[in-house]
Amino acid sequence: MSIALELAVQDTAGVRIAREIGAARVELTQALALGGLTPSPATLDRAVEAAGGEVEVHVLVRPRAGGFRYEPDEVALMAHDIRHAVSAGAAGVVIGCQGADGGLDRDAVARLVDAAGAASVTLHRVIDVTPDPLASLRVARELGLRRVLTSGGRSAAVDGVDLLGDLVREAAGGIQIMAGGGIDASNVAEVARTGVDAVHFSAKKTVFANDDVRLGSSDDGGHEVTDPQAALAIVRALGL
């Protein structure tokens, strides 16, 4: 089976696991529990170092949680983060902006693609919350994005296999389709059979703290890390 692997990671340990399982690239982020946010500059520097040229580092550029409709100042911040990521050695960035009508914000996405220069640009799962994912795919292709990360319009990719197949056919090789969202060893083969170019997964587990004091309004009881056994199980399920 010819399919690329992308591992979503939050630290250098995750990058090293990606190398060990033969992933083509990592999506570097933080706060995966919030859908992912832009990682810190130091995290990026360390990730590029840990990648050692063996796995590409693609940086998620998302300044906040709470949807994908951004104000002009936020788009300007994202463009700045993209330029910094590329200059720091990132092979690509992962972006997306939604317009007032719910579709892709063509102007904002075009500005971010321009900020990336020659680096690879992936449209993230904003496509899954647009009213017409096929139309959004066509916009992404027209703007020169390299690939689209999608769960087929559902929370989990395994539930969106019909739309994933439609997206693969619409792409017709002109833009890559990468499936992601709830992928694990039990469902990755079914998702791969849609013909997607790549699968994206986090293979994460939670490490719990023993502290009784909460430091904020959220539950600080633990943090997520990449689980090497879960990642390896996905590779084996694909027969790679």
Side-chain angles (χ1 to χ4, degrees):
M1 180 180 294
S2 176
I3 192 166
L5 305 178
E6 180 176 287
L7 184 60
V9 305
Q10 303 179 90
D11 52 31
T12 54
V15 176
R16 288 191 288 269
I17 291 169
R19 289 177 59 177
E20 291 167 4
I21 67 170
R25 55 188 172 266
V26 298
E27 180 193 73
L28 184 67
T29 181
Q30 65 179 22
L32 271 174
L34 299 177
L37 300 175
T38 309
S40 73
T43 300
L44 172 56
D45 290 344
R46 295 296 305 276
V48 170
E49 180 181 354
E54 295 183 24
V55 58
E56 293 184 358
V57 176
H58 291 233
V59 177
L60 177 66
V61 177
R62 185 177 180 226
R64 57 160 173 79
F68 307 103
R69 301 185 187 193
Y70 299 112
E71 298 296 327
D73 284 347
E74 293 176 310
V75 176
L77 173 64
M78 294 165 73
H80 187 89
D81 278 334
I82 288 169
R83 287 189 289 269
H84 176 270
V86 173
S87 67
V93 293
V94 184
I95 59 97
C97 304
Q98 194 172 20
D101 63 353
L104 291 186
D105 185 333
R106 181 186 287 266
D107 291 342
V109 172
R111 180 177 178 183
L112 300 183
V113 171
D114 182 66
S120 175
V121 182
T122 299
L123 181 71
H124 58 48
R125 288 182 58 194
V126 65
I127 191 174
D128 293 320
V129 296
T130 60
D132 187 344
L134 292 174
S136 296
L137 175 65
R138 290 190 285 270
V139 172
R141 183 171 52 198
E142 291 167 6
L143 293 176
L145 280 78
R146 184 76 54 85
R147 69 185 58 82
V148 171
L149 169 62
T150 172
S151 59
R154 305 292 291 274
S155 296
V158 70
D159 296 323
V161 292
D162 290 341
L163 180 55
L164 285 172
D166 291 342
L167 289 165
V168 168
R169 287 185 286 275
E170 177 67 28
I175 184 171
Q176 296 176 23
I177 304 299
M178 178 166 58
I183 288 182
D184 59 26
S186 72
N187 58 37
V188 66
E190 181 178 354
V191 171
R193 283 194 289 270
T194 62
V196 294
D197 300 283
V199 290
H200 165 104
F201 52 94
S202 58
K204 61 184 183 294
K205 64 180 179 181
T206 301
V207 176
F208 290 97
N210 295 318
D211 301 326
D212 294 326
V213 177
R214 294 175 62 177
L215 304 181
S217 60
S218 63
D219 182 3
D220 284 324
H223 67 282
E224 295 174 334
V225 299
T226 307
D227 182 349
Q229 296 306 313
L232 186 59
I234 290 172
V235 175
R236 290 173 174 164
L238 288 169
L240 301 177

